[in-house]
Amino acid sequence: MAGNTFGRILRLTTFGESHGAAIGGILDGCPAGIPIDEENIQRELDLRKPGQGLAGTARRESDTLHLLSGVFEGLSEGTPIAFYIANEDQRSRDYGNLSDVFRPGHADFSYFCKYGGIRDYRGGGRSSGRETAARVAGGAIAKKILAVEAGGEITAACVELGGIAAQKIDLAGAQGRPYFAADPEIVDSWNEAVRKAKGEADTLGGLVLLRAAHVPSGLGEPVFDKLDAVIAHALMGVGAVKGVEIGDGFAAARAGGASNNDVLLPGGKFASNHAGGIAGGISTGQDILARVAVRPIASIPRLQQTIDRRGERAEVLVGGRHDLSAIPRIVPVLSAMLALALADALLLQKRMQKSQCAIPWQEERPRNGG
């Protein structure tokens, strides 16, 4: 299996399956001297772990992080950082009826075709959302790199669930709210939508807004590695994601150039940010903004039509324990992937800085160890 590694300088490789002994990762390319706090990584993992809220699965995992290498006396050594998270609450018997049939909306059929009929049907194996815990752990370290090297900060919130959109956007307070809600007044409506979907044996999708603040200008590598292309790659690599917008996104297609252009002001400032902090594939120093479309969870407790391993008509009733929505647990995953993309671009840019001309109105940002 290829495609288990993300990044060019800062490279995260993940391993493990939903019902294996453990999942984990190796983060290579982290500079030496970055403060690595195991408790901070654990706090990020706790935001993603199962069993939370009305929309959460009944599976119970502590998602306890075990650091194996790359950190000494609280600082990164510059060597590969390895970690693992044990799987503690597998119930593989729940998936016994799926060995010969394919679940609609899942990766069962595509894995079967790609790997010559070999697939781990217990919870989807490697295709399970359980794998994303390793991304959150790696992303927590990437966030620390961004903070130390550039003062960068990432916030994220759910702005729509089940077709019900938030009326206000408050990213700063979202982490402390159910669903990572951008609007505190929308939570009751979302709770009602979740209860309704549960009663109808259905699931819900939603939209997540991400913002990266204090990102230096100059990140991104034209032509094929534009920063927005790398960010889209990072976010689209999360299983439930079916769309990514940068800045105004699809709304820009309905605008005119006069209203969509971000006018430059003295000192390298901008009058607006329709481009989402990226122009020509390179960061401008403005906030980077991305919206992510998250599809409904495919595991629905209804009898569905499908086919079996022989290609013949069959029926399937998906058992097991599943989230009713990928939101809120996907929010820290998306935040982690954005951090990994930006930290990688930042480290790549730092390799080039000696050959660059200084921009007179920009001052070098101080390193921030907080």
Side-chain angles (χ1 to χ4, degrees):
M1 175 185 281
N4 295 295
T5 300
F6 177 82
R8 297 155 294 181
I9 305 298
L10 185 69
R11 295 169 58 83
L12 175 67
T13 300
T14 71
F15 63 83
E17 296 83 30
S18 176
H19 285 238
I23 53 176
I26 298 175
L27 186 69
D28 201 3
C30 178
I34 301 296
I36 304 294
D37 183 349
E38 194 165 341
E39 291 183 2
N40 178 67
I41 301 174
Q42 190 63 57
R43 282 193 294 271
E44 295 279 329
L45 286 167
D46 288 347
L47 295 174
R48 193 223 68 99
K49 73 179 181 181
Q52 302 184 65
L54 287 178
T57 173
R59 182 171 176 171
R60 293 290 184 267
E61 297 282 355
S62 70
D63 280 357
T64 301
L65 179 80
H66 300 274
L67 276 176
L68 300 176
S69 67
V71 179
F72 181 68
E73 295 184 343
L75 297 175
S76 60
E77 298 182 85
T79 58
I81 299 173
F83 57 86
Y84 78 92
I85 301 161
N87 290 328
E88 301 166 336
D89 189 25
Q90 312 98 312
R91 281 198 344 208
S92 300
R93 63 184 182 276
D94 290 345
Y95 298 91
N97 67 319
L98 302 180
S99 60
D100 292 320
V101 296
F102 307 114
R103 297 169 297 174
H106 287 77
D108 299 353
F109 180 72
S110 53
Y111 268 57
F112 180 84
C113 294
K114 182 172 180 64
Y115 298 108
I118 298 173
R119 69 183 178 96
D120 184 349
Y121 56 83
R122 303 167 303 165
R126 183 89 176 121
S127 69
S128 169
R130 179 103 186 102
E131 176 269 340
T132 62
R135 306 190 195 199
V136 172
I141 299 172
K143 289 178 182 179
K144 181 60 70 172
I145 294 171
L146 285 173
V148 169
E149 299 288 343
E153 181 182 12
I154 294 175
T155 50
C158 178
V159 296
E160 185 174 316
L161 180 66
I164 304 171
Q167 299 304 305
K168 296 184 296 185
I169 304 297
D170 172 24
L171 294 181
Q175 183 168 305
R177 301 188 192 112
Y179 309 103
F180 288 90
D183 180 358
E185 298 177 5
I186 203 69
V187 172
D188 288 343
S189 296
W190 288 354
N191 281 337
E192 184 178 344
V194 167
R195 293 188 186 98
K196 182 174 184 293
K198 187 175 295 187
E200 295 173 351
D202 211 349
T203 57
L204 301 175
L207 292 174
V208 174
L209 175 63
L210 299 161
R211 179 179 67 196
H214 312 303
V215 176
S217 59
L219 306 190
E221 307 300 324
V223 171
F224 295 113
D225 288 334
K226 292 180 171 68
L227 185 60
D228 36 4
V230 173
I231 290 172
H233 174 200
L235 298 175
M236 287 292 293
V238 179
V241 172
K242 301 304 289 184
V244 173
E245 294 182 329
I246 306 294
D248 285 359
F250 283 97
R254 300 186 288 272
S259 62
N260 185 246
N261 287 347
D262 295 317
V263 174
L264 279 158
L265 302 173
K269 305 296 183 180
F270 291 84
S272 56
N273 192 14
H274 299 294
I278 302 172
I282 301 171
S283 62
T284 63
Q286 295 175 277
D287 288 354
I288 291 177
L289 301 171
R291 285 165 61 92
V292 182
V294 180
R295 71 183 179 98
I297 293 291
S299 296
I300 56 175
R302 296 184 186 184
L303 193 64
Q304 297 179 84
Q305 297 297 314
T306 187
I307 60 173
D308 60 21
R309 294 169 60 95
R310 296 171 294 280
E312 298 176 357
R313 186 187 300 275
E315 292 182 332
V316 62
L317 180 63
V318 178
R321 298 159 295 172
H322 308 283
D323 294 301
L324 188 136
S325 176
I327 293 167
R329 295 176 61 210
I330 198 173
V331 177
V333 178
L334 298 173
S335 177
M337 292 309 299
L338 179 58
L340 286 162
L342 292 176
D344 183 46
L346 176 65
L347 295 176
L348 186 59
Q349 180 68 8
K350 283 183 172 292
R351 290 193 172 188
M352 303 168 56
Q353 282 181 335
K354 290 184 179 180
S355 63
Q356 291 178 324
C357 296
I359 301 174
W361 60 78
Q362 285 190 338
E363 297 181 359
E364 183 178 353
R365 293 185 183 275
R367 289 169 64 93
N368 174 19

